[in-house]
């Protein structure tokens, strides 16, 4: 190396620290804070993103960690409690800010853990700090009503309760049966107290078979999912299989020989519920140190809000999930076809399904499906009524599932009896409010019979056919003579062939009718009714009994006679008529099966014509019309009550 090169190297060694220091000095002259404009989506994500939505801590929690002089990288590590313990001990950070951050940190811990006692403890810690933030923080919930942070904390609480409750349920299911009746036990180092007073489970069943988080359920085949934002975990209590299946199937034995039939009703076998977990304590300090938590169960149809720490708190609810689970698992589609054809595995008598626990203060909507159908026919309408707050407060839904192969007169009689038995069970004192009947297609014909008074025409018809003796006719008198069903105030007939249809008497209708068979149980029961002392095989001598398709023929004597029965003057009735081709004059039109002339009823309070095929009950316009009629009924009742 030459002397000049050595000098230059020595100069760089001496000047380098000065130059680097100069860069630091130069940086002092640059802006301390820089700003950039975020797209709307990125800005909202920054405010609302959290451990649940993006898998990492929210910006607000990270800011709290930095303000508390904690190591952000250490706090981001899963399954480490060092950060939460350090943050819990920090002073000088606002209470709300600290409690919210601790709730999310514990939630992150729980999400990273494997199922077991440690994870259960982490869920309960998440609940503890979220509960403390919401009710013992610097501000009341109402003061933070529009804050994103409170919404985040509420979501963390609801999610942790959902996970903790379902995990606790699994633990409880594994306990010996004698311990299931206990209302308290220890879990994950916590004492759990169980308060089931708000739960309304079907029948006498004490324990569900499954407890499903509603938030994890996705449904195909439903237009809308109806729920209510609020406090608590939205769950579905799935009852044992024998209460979840469709109506009881026939067992092949004649009804007269059975010692006891199952009841003709079922309560919703997958009820929705809202669950809360309350850490015990009357102040912030006691809540943060308690090891006791109380679990309460609430019926969303009964309670929309509760008073909690002096605050009126809206309860979360899901009104679609339980209904959707029931329909998805009941397999009505297969059973209804077997019933129509009279095959094994179908049903041989009507069954009433209560869509929610019975409430004597709510009016009853009775839904009657049509030929070859089932409660699945009402999936959209029932869901819309359950999801409409005003209608939900005034109405409860009963769906009648009946074998659509039977003669209309027999089904009408059996449906009346099933409804009477259901009322006698749930309302023995007769306090029930009035009924609203909603019938589609053949169900509309049956609904019309339920609000009509018969004359002597059916008795005369039975006599003229010459197959029955006067004594036998007297035995089937309830099928031939009847008055309007008590307490029915309104009826909605949808695409109902009141005067029959040419389709039923046509070639295709007759071909279909030829496949229909009545169950042996029904034939033997009819034979026993007509000839109590005859042998069981006497049903073979009954001859041809008209089935449902026979009765829907426009030339059938029964449907022609029934069309003339007067409707009760106490019943307000409405018609919804489908018109398949809008280019055809209304009076000459049909819906593909039912002509307008058959569906039209003079004297109706309203008649809505909808461009649709026969399954118009699923049409959004028809559902809106039914909702309008139901709301109109509410207004009329309220107006009458004010005049008294």
């Amino acid at each position: 190396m030459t002397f000049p090169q050595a000098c230059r190297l020595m100069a760089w060694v001496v000047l380098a620290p000065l130059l680097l220091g100069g860069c630091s000095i130069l940086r002092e002259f640059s802006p301390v804070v820089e700003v950039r404009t975020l797209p709307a989506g990125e800005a909202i994500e920054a405010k609302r993103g959290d451990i649940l939505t993006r898998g990492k801590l929210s910006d607000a929690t990270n800011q709290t960690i930095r303000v508390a002089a904690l190591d952000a990288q250490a706090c981001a590590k899963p399954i480490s409690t060092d950060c939460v313990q350090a943050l819990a001990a920090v002073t000088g950070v606002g209470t709300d800010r600290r409690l919210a951050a601790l709730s999310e940190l514990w939630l992150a811990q729980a999400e990273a853990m494997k199922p077991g006692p440690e994870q259960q403890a982490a869920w309960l810690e998440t609940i503890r700090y979220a509960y403390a933030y919401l009710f013992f923080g610097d501000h009341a919930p109402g003061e933070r009503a529009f804050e994103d942070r409170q919404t985040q904390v509420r979501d963390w609480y609801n999610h942790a309760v959902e996970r903790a409750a379902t995990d606790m349920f699994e633990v409880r299911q594994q306990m010996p049966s004698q311990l299931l009746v206990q209302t308290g036990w220890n879990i994950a180092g916590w004492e759990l107290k169980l308060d089931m007073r708000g739960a309304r489970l079907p029948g006498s069943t004490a324990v569900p078979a499954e407890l499903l988080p509603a938030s994890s359920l996705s449904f195909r085949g439903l237009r809308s999912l109806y729920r209510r934002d609020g406090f608590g975990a939205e769950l579905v209590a799935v009852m044992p299989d024998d209460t979840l299946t469709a109506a009881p199937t026939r067992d092949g034995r004649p009804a007269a020989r059975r010692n006891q039939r199952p009841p003709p009703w079922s309560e919703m076998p997958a009820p929705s519920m809202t669950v809360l977990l309350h850490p015990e304590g009357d102040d912030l300090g006691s809540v943060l140190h308690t090891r006791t938590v109380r679990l309460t169960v609430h019926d969303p149809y009964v309670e929309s809000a509760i008073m909690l720490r002096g605050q009126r708190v809206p309860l979360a609810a899901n009104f679609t999930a339980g209904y959707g689970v029931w329909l998805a698992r009941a397999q009505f589609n297969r059973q209804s076809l077997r019933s129509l054809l009279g095959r094994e595995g179908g049903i041989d008598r009507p069954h009433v399904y209560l869509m929610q626990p019975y409430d004597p203060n709510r009016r009853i909507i009775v839904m009657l499906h049509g030929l070859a159908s089932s409660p699945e026919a009402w999936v959209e309408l029932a869901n819309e009524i359950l999801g409409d707050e005003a209608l939900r407060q005034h109405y409860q839904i009963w769906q009648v599932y009946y074998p659509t192969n039977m003669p209309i007169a027999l089904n009408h009689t059996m449906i009346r009896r099933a409804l009477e038995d259901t009322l006698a069970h749930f309302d023995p004192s007769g306090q029930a409010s009035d009924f609203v009947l909603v019938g589609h297609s053949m169900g509309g014909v049956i609904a019309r019979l339920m609000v009509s008074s018969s004359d002597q025409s059916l008795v005369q018809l039975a006599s003229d056919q010459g197959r029955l003796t006067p004594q036998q006719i007297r035995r089937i008198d309830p099928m031939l003579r009847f008055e309007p069903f008590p307490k029915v105030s309104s009826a909605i007939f949808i695409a109902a062939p009141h005067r029959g249809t040419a389709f039923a008497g046509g070639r295709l209708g007759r071909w279909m009718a030829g496949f229909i068979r009545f169950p042996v149980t029904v034939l033997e029961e009819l034979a026993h009714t007509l000839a109590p002392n005859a042998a069981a095989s006497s049903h073979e001598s009954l001859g041809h009994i008209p089935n449902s398709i026979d009765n829907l023929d426009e030339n059938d004597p029964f449907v022609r006679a029934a069309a003339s029965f007067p409707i009760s003057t106490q019943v307000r009735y409405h018609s919804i008529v489908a018109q398949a081709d809008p280019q055809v004059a209304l009076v000459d039109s049909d819906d593909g099966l039912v002509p307008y002339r058959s569906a039209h009823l003079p004297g109706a309070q309203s008649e809505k014509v909808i461009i649709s095929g026969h399954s118009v009950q699923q049409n959004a316009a028809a559902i809106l019309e039914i909702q309008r009629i139901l709301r109109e009924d509410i207004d009329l009742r309220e107006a009458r009550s004010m005049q008294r």
Side-chain angles (χ1 to χ4, degrees):
M1 180 182 295
T2 63
F3 179 74
Q5 290 174 327
C7 289
R8 284 196 298 270
L9 178 61
M10 184 63 69
W12 274 111
V13 171
V14 172
L15 291 174
L18 295 175
L19 291 172
L20 292 174
C23 290
S24 298
I25 294 171
L26 290 174
R27 278 200 300 268
E28 294 295 330
F29 294 99
S30 64
V32 175
V33 176
E34 296 181 358
V35 63
R36 70 184 182 94
T37 302
L38 298 177
E42 189 176 337
I44 292 174
E45 196 278 335
K47 285 194 302 179
R48 301 180 185 173
D50 60 18
I51 192 66
L52 291 179
T53 62
R54 65 184 184 184
K56 58 183 181 180
L57 297 175
S58 64
D59 288 0
T61 294
N62 282 323
Q63 291 168 20
T64 302
I65 290 169
R66 291 194 294 269
V67 169
L70 300 177
D71 186 343
Q73 291 185 343
C75 289
K77 292 180 180 178
I79 317 180
S80 171
T81 59
D82 294 341
C83 184
V84 291
Q85 291 172 353
L87 183 57
V90 164
T91 59
V93 176
T95 302
D96 277 1
R97 194 171 190 180
R98 183 165 53 89
L99 294 174
L102 284 165
S103 180
E104 187 175 17
L105 286 167
W106 273 114
L107 180 59
Q109 297 294 320
E111 291 285 349
M113 292 177 177
K114 295 180 179 179
E118 289 186 359
Q119 188 187 50
Q120 275 284 359
W123 294 130
L124 293 173
E125 292 292 352
T126 303
I127 292 164
R128 178 208 299 278
Y129 285 105
Y131 192 88
Y133 167 89
L134 292 168
F135 302 107
F136 296 96
D138 293 328
H139 302 88
E143 296 175 303
R144 312 190 200 95
F146 293 100
E147 292 184 11
D148 291 332
R149 191 59 164 170
Q150 177 161 276
T151 301
Q152 286 180 323
V153 177
R154 183 207 64 190
D155 289 346
W156 301 336
Y157 172 88
N158 289 354
H159 178 72
V161 170
E162 178 184 281
R163 293 295 304 273
T166 51
D167 288 353
M168 290 174 185
F169 176 80
E170 294 297 328
V171 171
R172 191 174 188 235
Q173 290 294 84
Q174 298 171 12
M175 292 181 176
S177 57
Q178 65 269 22
L179 298 181
L180 293 179
V181 297
Q182 293 184 358
T183 57
W185 63 89
N186 292 323
I187 187 167
W190 287 67
E191 180 187 3
L192 175 67
K193 296 180 179 179
L194 185 63
D195 183 352
M196 294 287 292
R197 288 174 296 176
R200 296 201 292 174
L201 299 178
S204 58
T205 308
V207 181
E210 300 175 74
L211 197 60
L212 304 178
S215 64
S216 67
L217 301 176
S218 176
F219 297 98
R220 185 177 61 185
L222 284 167
R223 293 193 192 109
S224 304
L225 177 68
Y226 287 104
R227 53 176 305 280
R228 179 176 61 219
D229 282 331
F231 191 57
E234 305 156 29
L235 302 175
V236 176
V238 182
M239 308 314 292
D241 287 342
D242 57 347
T243 61
L244 185 66
T245 55
T249 57
R250 56 182 178 271
D251 58 12
R253 293 180 294 157
R257 297 180 184 175
R258 293 176 183 169
N259 294 327
Q260 185 177 5
R261 279 194 176 276
W265 67 80
S266 295
E267 297 177 81
M268 169 54 69
S272 297
M273 58 176 57
T274 303
V275 172
L276 305 180
L277 280 166
H278 312 257
E280 286 201 345
D282 296 323
D283 54 46
L284 180 59
S286 57
V287 168
L288 295 182
H289 291 90
T290 188
R291 302 293 291 179
T292 301
V293 64
R294 182 167 54 95
L295 186 149
T296 61
V297 181
H298 305 266
D299 185 339
Y301 289 99
V302 175
E303 296 178 281
S304 60
I306 59 170
M307 293 302 296
L308 195 55
R309 306 299 172 187
Q311 303 284 324
R312 187 178 185 277
V313 180
L315 286 175
N318 193 308
F319 301 103
T320 296
Y323 178 56
V325 167
W326 172 58
L327 283 179
R329 297 189 180 187
Q331 297 184 340
F332 284 123
N333 56 333
R334 297 179 182 178
Q335 194 180 53
S336 60
L337 181 59
R338 294 191 187 107
S339 298
L340 175 66
L341 300 178
R343 301 296 188 260
E344 192 66 32
I347 60 173
D348 59 4
R349 62 199 56 247
H351 197 81
V352 182
Y353 286 100
L354 282 67
M355 296 293 97
Q356 62 198 72
Y358 176 70
D359 185 343
N361 298 315
R362 286 181 168 94
R363 299 169 69 192
I364 300 169
I365 299 176
V366 176
M367 296 182 175
L368 296 161
H369 59 76
L371 183 71
S373 191
S374 73
E376 289 185 328
W378 304 113
V379 55
E380 296 296 350
L381 175 60
N383 188 43
E384 292 296 327
I385 294 174
L386 293 172
D388 186 303
E389 184 175 359
L391 298 181
R392 189 173 62 243
Q393 290 176 353
H394 288 86
Y395 296 100
Q396 57 192 318
I397 299 173
W398 291 10
Q399 295 193 8
V400 178
Y401 180 34
Y402 64 96
T404 60
N405 57 346
M406 303 293 185
I408 291 177
L410 179 58
N411 258 327
H412 169 232
T413 302
M414 292 195 298
I415 288 171
R416 280 180 175 248
R417 189 179 306 146
L419 289 171
E420 289 167 353
D421 291 347
T422 305
L423 279 172
H425 175 77
F426 290 100
D427 185 46
S429 60
Q431 299 300 309
S433 187
D434 56 309
F435 283 69
V436 177
L437 298 181
V438 181
H440 171 249
S441 191
M442 187 169 72
V445 176
I446 295 173
R448 187 188 186 285
L449 293 175
M450 291 186 67
V451 295
S452 301
S453 301
S454 66
D455 51 26
Q456 292 296 315
S457 58
L458 294 184
V459 176
Q460 188 64 44
L461 182 63
S463 300
D464 292 345
Q465 290 181 343
R467 297 176 186 168
L468 302 177
T469 66
Q471 185 178 16
Q472 289 174 325
I473 291 175
R474 284 195 297 272
R475 289 199 181 101
I476 62 170
D477 190 70
M479 281 190 278
L480 307 178
R481 278 195 281 243
F482 47 84
E483 293 297 325
F485 195 81
K487 293 189 175 183
V488 176
S489 62
S490 302
I492 304 173
F493 307 118
I494 308 170
H498 300 294
R499 299 171 188 84
T501 169
F503 174 83
R507 181 177 298 178
L508 181 57
R510 302 311 315 147
W511 179 77
M512 291 176 58
F515 285 96
I516 292 179
R517 299 288 184 273
F518 295 135
V520 172
T521 52
V522 173
L523 293 173
E524 292 186 344
E525 189 169 356
L526 281 173
H528 180 79
T529 300
L530 295 172
N533 300 321
S537 61
S538 63
H539 69 82
E540 297 175 358
S541 62
L542 289 175
H544 174 72
I545 301 175
N547 59 44
S548 55
I549 295 182
D550 293 328
N551 285 158
L552 292 175
D553 182 352
E554 62 184 0
N555 295 313
D556 180 70
F558 172 81
V559 77
R560 290 168 69 91
S564 65
F565 294 161
I567 297 176
S568 169
T569 58
Q570 304 301 311
V571 176
R572 291 170 53 87
Y573 59 93
H574 307 257
S575 292
I576 295 177
V577 180
Q579 183 181 14
D581 186 353
Q583 303 302 318
V584 177
L586 180 61
V587 70
D588 298 321
S589 68
D590 58 47
D591 60 19
L593 291 175
V594 177
Y596 172 80
R597 287 187 174 91
S598 184
H600 171 72
L601 279 181
Q605 297 292 317
S606 67
E607 180 179 271
K608 179 75 170 181
V609 178
I610 296 173
I611 305 304
S612 169
H614 183 61
S615 297
V616 65
Q617 85 284 357
Q618 300 175 1
N619 188 292
I623 293 171
L624 288 173
E625 174 66 4
I626 295 168
Q627 290 177 297
R628 181 197 68 78
I629 293 169
L630 295 175
R631 292 192 187 96
E632 182 181 79
D633 266 15
I634 295 172
D635 294 340
L636 284 171
R637 286 171 60 87
E638 291 178 348
R640 289 171 187 161
S641 64
M642 291 177 64
Q643 292 173 357
R644 292 172 185 170

